[in-house]
């Protein structure tokens, strides 16, 4: 399978699986409807179909079984009860695993054999245990395994048409066990006439299985017109051998050896299961004529061919695994808009060139240029937009998570999702999934109380869990809130002391107590459950979110519930920036975070707090923060920035104005440096650093906490000696 | 010893190519295998709170590349940005793969082709270098030149640590995350 086909298949299958899962959950909560059953059936059927096209037998065969069960439900012979629901959900998980394996280039490996067996057994039980026999799969009496010999003559154009005979032979092997594959090479022309895309080989295959000749034919259904196929039962093998011997002495010899190895020497061929084989076995008539019997030259080549196939396949798989190619689905209208704009840009730039070359006035040139740059900006926005994905893509997995976790814990939980249409960068959506899942699981496990406890507390027995997303000043905010028992600051404190995370006499505010759950190695669950409480998790959540330049906040009231707020930038690629200069160095502040710019008048004195329209505003002097050249500029300016409802002033030497900034990462060497998040390249080719406003704000407020807790509005004040 | 000799050079039995550079007034040699290019020193953007060994970043045709001052890294005085100062762009091993790092040197001397007999195992001491920084000695025109082990000199983990500790040095602590 080529790379593109693989990616498309993986993306499509994942979409279908997600759809199937949500329909299953709807089926469970909203009840049976033909439409839903059909939707599920269609999803399974499409997955099976595309897997079959690519010869992915793992998926195809499994999904076939699933489809059989669904078929029965669709025809009213069976019903989706709780047991079947569980099987179906787990089956969709299992197909997900198979899809993951395909993405990794490991489609020939079984990701979870135990689960597969278990699910297949459950599905089979569903098929056979029901009152009426399944329409497509009549119950078969147990049959003995038998040797079936299959002669395969492919059309020479098989390869040209994109089919690989080995795939089909391997597919055949799925029915049982391939005892031998003998390649007939006499059709190979001499080197000068050899055409690489022509298939010269014929195959003699031995299959030990319970399959009937009809099953064998079904394996080749896709290329029915390209293959001539004969099956022979064990009793006819002597005839096969006789027919083979004159033109293919080596292969006939090999067949004889293989049969001896299998314990069925040609002289006394026993009858394995004559009843099953007798009726369809073709007479051991003449084989399709092979070309000139140049076997003596061809034989060594055949040897080579046999060994080359698997290794070439292996290599292919390795190559595929290396570069991860991703597919982004883009709304067609968005693409059209972008292309229209590019068209306009081409015209505008042509116009600008004319204006310049015809020696027009400076104003005209400026006008033309501004038109071009306006278009560039629009195109930038649209291009970035194409990477945007609704956060619903992450949210859609939670109904399932909540269902599974709440069942496991015996809690009743209603999940409410809102703001699923809020968009953010595709890469962020993917990386947000893990931290969010953890928070949700945590909320169900620790936050929401068991039913009896809720009733005692006067709450409705059903816990409320809410996922909410919205945009706020260049960020996306994701909230996970529950109406559970809330975080108990005293308990958290005690636990932290017990774990040696804080000193016994440490003075912590309530929110600082809450933040303790982000400390590595902290866990308050009295008993370690399957879901959480292993003390790994919340610290990882925080780290993950911070690696996306975001942060996590907790708001909790004891007995009323907890709300986790994750704040993330919308994209990691391009921002609108505001340039400032400090000590001769240019810095860029993300424009979304800039509130206003103010002239600094009196900045002397120890107090680092400014009266801004009668509001106290703490400020940082970047010159000091970054330990730059100490001599201050004569006149300084103040940029007021805001992030997560906090405002801080940044004192700079000069304001340079707006610009677009293509974000360039600074790299690992500067990973642990705070205050600067990344860099960008300015119009003159020099590098400017982008300020990390959140870390600057938290630095300002944290030092405020530490040094002046007694002050009024401690958060906003910081005293410096 | 055999392990040392093996490690010292990729394929010491064949001829190799080395670039000699001046850093802190001394001559050093580096294997050209990981050198991407040599450029004149462009405008350096200082990154605040960073130690002198990582003086800043440069724009290398659109990519932002960190600089390492070789002299300071080898325990010498800092490189002066004279007209001869150059940046040797070297591929260094980052978590995400090979990425360029700019090595700031006083001057680049010459590219030399070496034969087996020109290379000798590094001495136990005497070069005034950290052991792991020295891959071998190169006997060139009557002089012994230390061949630098770039993977150690440009260890990203170590450089990251240097930046982190410097940023957290007293006086900066209050502006940091707690």
């Amino acid at each position: 399978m080529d790379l593109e086909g693989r990616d498309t298949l993986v993306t499509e299958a994942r979409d279908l699986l997600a759809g199937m899962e949500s329909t299953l959950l709807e089926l469970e909560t909203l009840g049976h409807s033909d439409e839903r059953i059909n939707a599920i059936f269609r999803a399974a059927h499409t997955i099976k179909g595309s897997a079959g096209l690519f010869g992915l037998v793992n998926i195809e065969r499994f999904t076939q079984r699933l489809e059989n069960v669904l078929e029965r439900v669709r025809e009213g012979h069976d019903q989706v009860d709780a047991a079947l629901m569980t099987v179906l959900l787990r089956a969709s998980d299992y197909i997900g695993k198979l899809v993951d394996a395909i993405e990794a280039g490991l489609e020939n490996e079984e990701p979870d054999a135990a689960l597969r067996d278990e699910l297949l057994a459950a599905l089979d039980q569903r098929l056979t245990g029901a009152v009426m026999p399944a329409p497509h799969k009549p119950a078969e009496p147990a049959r003995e395994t038998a040797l079936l010999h299959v002669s395969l003559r492919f059309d020479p154009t098989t390869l040209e048409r994109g089919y690989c005979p080995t795939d089909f032979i391997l597919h055949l092997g799925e029915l049982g066990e391939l005892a031998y594959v003998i390649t007939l090479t006499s059709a190979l022309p001499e080197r000068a006439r050899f055409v690489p895309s022509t298939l010269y080989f014929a195959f003699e295959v031995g299959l030990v299985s319970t399959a009937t000749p009809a099953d064998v034919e079904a394996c080749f259904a896709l290329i029915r017109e390209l293959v001539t196929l004969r099956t022979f039962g064990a009793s006819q093998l002597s005839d096969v051998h006789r027919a083979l011997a004159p033109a293919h002495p080596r292969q006939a010899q090999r067949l004889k050896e293989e049969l001896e190895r299998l314990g069925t020497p040609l002289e006394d061929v026993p009858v394995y299961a004559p009843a099953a084989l007798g009726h369809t076995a073709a007479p051991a008539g003449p084989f399709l004529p092979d070309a000139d019997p140049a076997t003596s030259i061809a034989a060594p080549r055949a040897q080579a061919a046999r060994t080359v196939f698997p290794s070439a396949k292996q290599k292919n798989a390795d190559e595929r695994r290396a570069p991860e190619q991703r597919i982004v689905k883009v709304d067609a209208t968005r693409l059209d808009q972008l292309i229209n704009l590019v068209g306009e840009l081409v015209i505008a730039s042509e116009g600008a060139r004319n204006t310049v070359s015809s020696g027009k006035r400076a104003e005209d040139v400026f006008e033309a240029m501004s038109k071009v740059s306006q278009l560039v900006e629009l195109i930038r926005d649209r291009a970035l937009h194409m990477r945007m994905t609704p956060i619903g893509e992450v949210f859609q997995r939670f109904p399932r998570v909540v269902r599974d976790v709440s069942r496991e814990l015996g809690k009743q939980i209603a999940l409410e999702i809102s703001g699923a249409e809020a968009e953010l960068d595709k890469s962020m959506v993917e990386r947000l999934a893990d931290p969010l899942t953890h928070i949700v699981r945590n909320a169900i496990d620790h936050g929401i109380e068991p039913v009896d406890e809720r009733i005692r507390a006067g709450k409705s027995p059903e816990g409320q869990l809410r996922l909410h997303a919205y945009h706020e000043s260049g960020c996306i905010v994701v909230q996970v809130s529950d109406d559970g028992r809330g975080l108990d600051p005293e308990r958290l404190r005690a636990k932290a002391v017990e774990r040696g995370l804080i000193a016994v006499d440490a003075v912590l505010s309530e929110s600082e107590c809450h933040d303790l759950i982000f400390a590595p190695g902290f866990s308050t669950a009295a008993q370690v459950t399957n879901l959480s409480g292993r003390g790994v998790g919340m610290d990882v959540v925080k780290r993950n979110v911070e690696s996306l330049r975001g942060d996590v906040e907790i708001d909790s009231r004891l007995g009323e519930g907890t709300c986790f707020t994750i704040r993330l930038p919308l994209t990691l690629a391009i921002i609108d920036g505001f340039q400032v200069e400090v000590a001769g160095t240019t810095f860029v502040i993300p424009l979304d975070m800039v509130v206003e710019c103010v002239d600094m008048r009196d900045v002397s004195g120890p107090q680092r707090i400014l009266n801004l329209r009668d509001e106290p505003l703490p400020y940082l002097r970047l010159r000091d923060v970054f330990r730059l050249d100490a001599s201050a500029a004569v006149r300084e300016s103040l940029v007021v920035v805001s992030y997560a409802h906090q405002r801080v002033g940044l004192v700079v030497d000069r304001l340079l104005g707006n610009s677009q900034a293509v974000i360039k990462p600074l790299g690992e060497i500067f990973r642990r440096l705070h205050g600067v998040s990344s860099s960008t390249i300015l119009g003159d080719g020099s590098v400017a650093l982008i300020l990390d406003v959140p870390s600057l704000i938290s630095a300002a407020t944290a030092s405020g906490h530490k040094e002046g807790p007694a002050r009024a509005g401690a958060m906003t004040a910081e005293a410096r000696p | 010893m055999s392990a040392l000799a093996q490690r010292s050079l990729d394929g010491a039995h064949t001829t190799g190519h080395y670039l000699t550079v001046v850093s802190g007034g001394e001559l050093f040699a580096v294997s050209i295998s990981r050198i991407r290019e040599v450029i004149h020193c462009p405008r350096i953007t200082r990154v605040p709170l960073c130690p002198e060994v990582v003086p800043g970043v440069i724009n290398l045709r659109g990519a932002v590349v960190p600089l390492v001052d070789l002299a300071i890294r080898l325990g010498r005085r800092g490189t002066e940005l004279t007209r001869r100062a150059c940046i040797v762009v070297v591929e260094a091993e980052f978590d995400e793969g090979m990425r360029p790092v700019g090595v700031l040197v006083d001057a680049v001397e010459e590219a030399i082709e070496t034969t087996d007999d020109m290379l000798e195992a590094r001495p136990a001491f005497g070069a005034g270098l950290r052991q792991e920084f020295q891959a071998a000695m190169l006997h060139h025109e009557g002089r012994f030149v230390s061949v630098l082990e770039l993977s150690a000199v440009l260890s990203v983990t170590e450089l990251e640590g240097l930046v982190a500790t410097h940023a957290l040095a007293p006086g900066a602590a209050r502006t940091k995350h707690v």
Side-chain angles (χ1 to χ4, degrees), chain A residues 546 584-587 620 624-628 664-676 679-682 684-689 692 694-696 698-700 702-703 706-707 718-721, chain B residues 43 45-50 54 56-68 93-97 99 101 156-157 159-164 166-178:
Chain A
E546 278 176 353
T585 312
T586 306
F587 291 95
L620 290 171
D624 297 340
V625 171
F626 289 148
R627 284 180 272 165
L628 297 169
K664 305 271 180 184
L666 274 175
E668 283 162 46
I669 291 179
F670 305 102
R671 185 159 49 187
R672 287 192 272 162
L673 187 72
H674 290 287
V676 172
S679 62
T680 185
I681 292 172
L682 301 178
D684 66 354
S686 63
V687 181
L689 301 166
D692 183 0
S695 90
L696 287 171
S698 67
S703 55
K706 286 254 141 64
E707 291 167 27
E718 184 204 355
R720 280 231 164 173
Chain B
R43 203 176 132 191
T45 299
R46 305 257 157 200
V47 178
L49 305 175
C50 280
V54 187
V57 290
I58 55 163
N59 168 12
L60 182 68
R61 293 185 301 278
V64 174
V65 172
L67 280 190
V68 171
E93 208 167 307
F94 286 77
D95 281 357
E96 308 116 48
R99 294 282 158 83
V101 169
V156 171
T157 329
L159 291 172
E160 186 195 336
L162 286 173
V163 169
H166 184 82
L168 290 170
R174 63 187 343 152
T175 62
K176 298 284 97 186
H177 262 310
V178 191

Side-chain angles (χ1 to χ4, degrees), chain A residues 22 81 100 169 190 340 365 376 455:
Chain A
S22 67
D81 51 21
D100 292 345
I169 295 173
E190 57 196 79
N340 287 343
V365 175
V376 168
I455 293 171

